Amino acid sequence: MKIDYRSGNSIKTQIPLDYKEYLKRKEDKQQQQQQQQQSTQPTGAITYKRKDRLDEQFRQIFMKTGIVTQASGSCYLEIEKTKVLCSVYGPRATPKTELFETAKLNCELKYATFSSNKEKFDYLENTKEKDQSLIIYQSIIGSLRLDKYPKTVVDVYILVLNDDGDVLVSAITAASMALADAGVEMYDMVASCSAVCIKDATLINPTAQEETLTEGAGKILVSKMPSHNNITQLIQTGELNYNNVLESVNLCIDGSDKIYSIMKQNLIDSLLRQQKKDGDGNEINGITTNAADDQMEE
Amino acid sequence: MEAFQKIHPLEFYRKFLERSVRPDGRSLTDIRKTTLSVGSITTCSGSSFVKIGNTSVVCGIRAEVGEPPSINQTGIVSNQSKNHSYIFVNVELGPICSNAFSSSKPSEKAMSLGTQLNALINRLDIPTTDFYFDNEGKARWYLYVDIYCLDYDGNITDASIIAMLSALKNVTLQQGIIVEPNQYFKDSEQPTRKLSIQNNYFIPLSFAVIDDYILSDPCLEEEKLSSGQITITFNENQEICLLLYTGTNGIADDHLKKCIQLTKNRFDFINKLVNENNS
Amino acid sequence: MKVSPSEVSFIQKGIEHNIRTDGRSRVDYRHFSLESGEIVHSNGSARLKLSDTEVLVGVKAEITQINKENNNASGNNINVNKRLIFNVDCCPSASPEFEGKGSEFLNIELAQQLDRLYSHPNVIVGLYNTNDNTKYDPPTATTTADDNENSNNSSLTIVPNKYYWTLYIDAIVLDSDGNLFDALSIATRAALFNTRLPKIKAIQGEYEEITFEVNDDPFDTLSIDIKNVPICVTMTKIASQFVIDTTTREELCMDARLTIGVNSSSNICSIQKGGISGLDPPTINQMINTAKVVGLKILSTMDQALLDIQLLK
């Protein structure tokens, strides 16, 4: 349930821009327009070069499973500044009396109010959350063996704490990790990767700034189950020609393979950790000690 | 043993409490490990992350600019502007943190906690000039404090209060320029400033009452079994600024005194925790 | 609606043999009929009947002011720059599944699909005078640039940096027999073709305020150039093959579908996957390729038909 966080305040407020940035933008616009008048080049052809990494390079990824103790499974994921938390409840019984032959999957993505410094939260924002929830749902449902859990529900909740681009990729990856952590039977984990296509480059794993470089820039998101070589979700927006589409899809497929190897390693590590913890716990007769927790913290 | 715990949780607890110990190994007065980190969220003006045992909350503050309602000519610091609030607290206990909450309707717990925190934070003595956007205070900063619970394992009140306060201390505000009415810009050449709440902090501690035992820093299981809950919050002068008791049975005088003493003992720890992270 | 396992197997086997229950081959489209201008009070409308699938699309144009406040608040607010706003409603009369909250997610999915299809800033390349088909030049920014994006569908400008046309595109699904995505995209394109915008003259008043003078001659209007407006083609994978233009029955046996947006310069404008199971990369390539061919064919027939309509009128 989204409550308008501004509702407590009777005064209309807004987020101020940076003055320098504003002046700079104004200048850029003027220059652009001058150029437009001189040449008849199509608009929106912005050249952009990444400074700190290659076009197909990922940002640092950090993930940790099992951090929400109340949930059946959970995962916290960080792609540099993008921070996402996902928790999975279930398979659990449902209060509804309907009979399902297979388990039902619910997927809910939410943005924390402070997760983005640009956009306002309003009605459209709400449909954005629902639309993205649906994309995540479609990405992961194909990987799960829901027929193993008749008459139950699996709830996946995702909270975006900090949005610095590539939220959907983070959310899909976190959701798949959390489901694995919860022990829901699956064919394979879902890895995902997205790209932004600008005039002369395809940027993998874009930041929030790169996502908004040009309006209506080509964006591609691929999620797949690598061991089946099966694409579970494919979303593209913006006008691109056929070859560009194929090229970027292939780049994203390679990207998701990379993410997949990180996911796998992480899951193995967390299992080892858990095993170690359980081993320690048994020695002291079921009472988990703080010592084991401390080790985990380290 | 597990079956016993499931079927008769209260009996199970009593067996432990008789020996002055809790099932997780703590004594009755032990407080779970409390950690704090600030400034991890880059998209907002101030943020903090607090973990008490398994309970974790994240708090982010969005700063926005608005024009305060008509300022009378006699002076800005009138009695009225004192009552005018600049900080708005909102607590979210979503389905992500526990299966006790649903996504379709806001939980009562979150709403009551939000109201309490709102009341508490507006008692803070922050000079009005701290909220000035430009030099004259024609426009002011308004802070929206949003607290999200990530893992709900009891004692959310303590975690929220600590998170709220440390996030507030983490807030950096920028001097701004008003180009035209309603056009506000941050001026990144001016130095940033923090809110002057150097000597104002809250030290909270919550208790659960089970039978005749008082358990400090209860976990979720203990909160569920308890017949009453107490929250005490001190300000920096070691005075009580929030005392909350909910429960069906009355509470003995010396119990309350003991609780107050325990909260006092917590004073130095929280004090240090908040200051260390905000230096 | 539900299908029995034997029915599923019947449909699957038929598709394997390239013959579907209604006698079509895998890449055959059903006949469809388009009517336009049915809703008198809208700026443009179209009704599409594709076998039993029936959708009605209305376009309502409104003048939107971009106020500085909004712009300032959120530098890059999508909301402010959006000129086309989509809304889809699936009538409960179309299918019992749409009753109550049943169509909530489908509505969003359909509207978002259209939104993605029109996400490119130059979807609407221009306006022309309805009378003589001459190009109409929208007023362009001559003053200093402001911080909003005027490159986005700039042909819908009334006063640069201040007033724009916003097109509210509302679609209603009246009856459903599959292939809603394609039907909606075709109907939307036709509705845009049918859209007539009144000519507006902005008059600068004394105190910077702007008043509008609307030309009330019903024949002296502006039309939208739909040269660059895409449609989408949904490829549905059933058994080992993929088919286009599925019926509801076929959709119930689908494994996965790929909705691909194509425009007349044969560029891909959007892709969206749906359905539960996955697809392998070679199949996706094939699907996109086929969709391109089919899409271009539909576009050319459609353009011809729309021209005929116009000549008749």
Side-chain angles (χ1 to χ4, degrees), chain C residues 267-283:
Chain C
N267 281 345
I268 312 294
C269 297
S270 79
I271 302 179
Q272 180 169 9
K273 198 195 147 291
I276 285 172
S277 71
L279 295 166
D280 50 352
T283 320

Side-chain angles (χ1 to χ4, degrees), chain B residues 135-152:
Chain B
N135 284 326
E136 291 96 47
K138 268 191 203 131
R140 312 260 170 92
W141 284 108
Y142 288 87
L143 304 180
Y144 299 97
V145 181
D146 286 286
I147 299 170
Y148 284 81
C149 179
L150 304 182
D151 195 349
Y152 188 80

Side-chain angles (χ1 to χ4, degrees), chain C:
Chain C
M1 190 146 120
K2 276 191 172 145
V3 283
S4 64
S6 46
E7 216 169 341
V8 171
S9 138
F10 178 71
I11 291 171
Q12 282 178 345
K13 290 217 171 104
I15 284 166
E16 296 275 356
H17 289 98
N18 202 6
I19 183 146
R20 288 151 76 174
T21 42
D22 47 6
R24 289 182 289 154
S25 79
R26 285 195 289 259
V27 286
D28 273 348
Y29 225 82
R30 284 173 287 181
H31 285 288
F32 63 82
S33 63
L34 266 174
E35 283 168 71
S36 61
E38 283 199 344
I39 309 174
V40 183
H41 291 287
S42 70
N43 293 70
S45 63
R47 180 205 285 265
L48 175 87
K49 265 192 88 126
L50 176 72
S51 184
D52 276 341
T53 298
E54 191 170 354
V55 295
L56 181 66
V57 177
V59 180
K60 191 162 172 50
E62 264 177 33
I63 299 169
T64 330
Q65 180 183 14
I66 296 185
N67 48 2
K68 281 181 174 159
E69 203 179 301
N70 265 343
N71 225 357
N72 176 16
S74 45
N76 225 335
N77 198 329
I78 294 166
N79 228 342
V80 176
N81 288 321
K82 242 185 190 142
R83 298 281 153 268
L84 301 162
I85 293 173
F86 295 93
N87 185 33
V88 180
D89 189 23
C90 293
C91 272
S93 65
S95 162
E97 281 141 46
F98 298 157
E99 255 168 63
K101 277 199 159 185
S103 62
E104 196 191 4
F105 271 99
L106 185 65
N107 286 345
I108 290 176
E109 198 181 5
L110 289 168
Q112 289 288 338
Q113 164 62 24
L114 284 175
D115 198 74
R116 282 198 195 97
L117 199 62
Y118 286 82
S119 63
H120 194 266
N122 286 326
V123 165
I124 292 171
V125 279
L127 300 176
Y128 60 89
N129 293 310
T130 318
N131 279 343
D132 46 4
N133 286 348
T134 49
K135 198 172 180 301
Y136 170 78
D137 288 315
T140 45
T142 45
T143 49
T144 49
D146 216 320
D147 44 344
N148 73 64
E149 298 278 338
N150 54 1
S151 63
N152 184 358
N153 286 324
S154 57
S155 46
L156 295 173
T157 310
I158 299 169
V159 179
N161 297 328
K162 272 256 167 70
Y163 293 98
Y164 292 84
W165 284 114
T166 299
L167 302 180
Y168 290 89
I169 298 169
D170 295 305
I172 300 173
V173 177
L174 296 169
D175 202 351
S176 159
D177 189 21
N179 207 11
L180 288 179
F181 286 94
D182 297 11
L184 279 172
S185 75
I186 294 172
T188 307
R189 193 170 188 265
L192 281 177
F193 177 80
N194 180 246
T195 301
R196 300 281 176 271
L197 300 174
K199 280 185 182 165
I200 280 190
K201 221 183 191 171
I203 297 163
Q204 187 102 32
E206 264 177 68
Y207 302 101
E208 292 239 323
E209 90 271 20
I210 290 173
T211 48
F212 295 109
E213 204 171 80
V214 181
N215 191 336
D216 52 5
D217 180 357
F219 294 101
D220 189 18
T221 50
L222 296 171
S223 299
I224 294 172
D225 189 350
I226 55 161
K227 193 176 75 197
N228 216 11
V229 174
I231 58 155
C232 60
V233 179
T234 304
M235 314 297 288
T236 311
K237 192 183 169 229
I238 297 170
S240 63
Q241 299 291 334
F242 52 84
V243 295
I244 60 166
D245 190 23
T246 44
T247 59
T248 310
R249 240 161 241 285
E250 285 168 336
E251 271 170 19
L252 288 168
C253 348
M254 79 165 183
D255 297 321
R257 77 174 129 72
L258 209 60
T259 306
I260 298 147
V262 187
N263 70 5
S264 53
S265 43
S266 78
N267 281 345
I268 312 294
C269 297
S270 79
I271 302 179
Q272 180 169 9
K273 198 195 147 291
I276 285 172
S277 71
L279 295 166
D280 50 352
T283 320
I284 287 180
N285 287 359
Q286 264 176 34
M287 281 178 162
I288 297 176
N289 226 334
T290 320
K292 212 172 73 183
V293 176
V294 174
L296 284 175
K297 218 159 104 190
I298 297 170
L299 278 173
S300 68
T301 3
M302 188 178 163
D303 279 350
Q304 192 55 50
L306 290 176
L307 268 180
D308 290 348
I309 295 176
Q310 203 178 29
L311 286 179
L312 278 178
K313 280 184 179 167

Side-chain angles (χ1 to χ4, degrees), chain B residues 80-95:
Chain B
Q80 271 185 342
S81 68
K82 184 92 182 154
N83 286 333
H84 183 59
S85 50
Y86 294 94
I87 305 173
F88 302 89
V89 188
N90 185 29
V91 181
E92 271 221 25
L93 301 172

